[in-house]
Amino acid sequence: MKRRTLTAALVMLIVALEIHAGTLADGKWSPASCGTRPAVPEIDSRSVDAYNRSLKVARDWQQKAQAYNDCIVKEANADNSVIAETANDEQARFRAEVEQIGAVATAAKAKLDSR
């Protein structure tokens, strides 16, 4: 029974992480569904027209970069939530198992002491 419960919990964790989680490799987290980080544009100062065009590109980049950043924050928060919830659930299961084995041991000791 315990093995089935643990297996089910692990399967739920894997499914949850596949739905929400970014990638964690070599100590670095990266988002899974935010796309590619927009490249920072250069400001062109060769002429007024070039400068104005580059500012338009920079404004467009800023909107895309903000959307990318918002996505990262949303995904990271979702990942943190899944990790915290899963860890809390596992800790609660562990505490329950410790209490259960303690109760069984106490009952066994009481039975043996009464003989």
Side-chain angles (χ1 to χ4, degrees), residues 41-111:
E42 292 185 24
I43 302 298
D44 189 345
S45 62
R46 290 179 291 171
S47 70
V48 172
D49 286 339
Y51 175 77
N52 288 334
R53 280 192 303 271
S54 65
L55 287 183
K56 182 185 179 318
V57 171
R59 282 190 298 273
D60 291 344
W61 166 82
Q62 189 173 14
Q63 290 176 349
K64 291 175 186 174
Q66 185 63 53
Y68 180 79
N69 187 62
D70 292 347
C71 180
I72 288 175
V73 169
K74 182 179 176 183
E75 197 168 312
N77 286 339
D79 289 351
N80 286 336
S81 178
V82 169
I83 291 166
E85 185 177 318
T86 302
N88 289 337
D89 290 348
E90 188 59 32
Q91 291 170 357
R93 277 191 290 279
F94 173 71
R95 284 190 299 273
E97 289 171 346
V98 168
E99 290 173 10
Q100 180 185 13
I101 196 75
V104 169
T106 299
K109 182 180 184 310
K111 180 180 175 183

Side-chain angles (χ1 to χ4, degrees), residues 12-48:
M12 288 185 332
L13 173 63
I14 290 168
V15 169
L17 290 177
E18 286 179 358
I19 292 169
H20 297 288
T23 302
L24 184 61
D26 296 326
K28 183 175 179 176
W29 179 87
S30 59
S33 60
C34 295
T36 304
R37 182 177 186 203
V40 178
E42 292 185 24
I43 302 298
D44 189 345
S45 62
R46 290 179 291 171
S47 70
V48 172

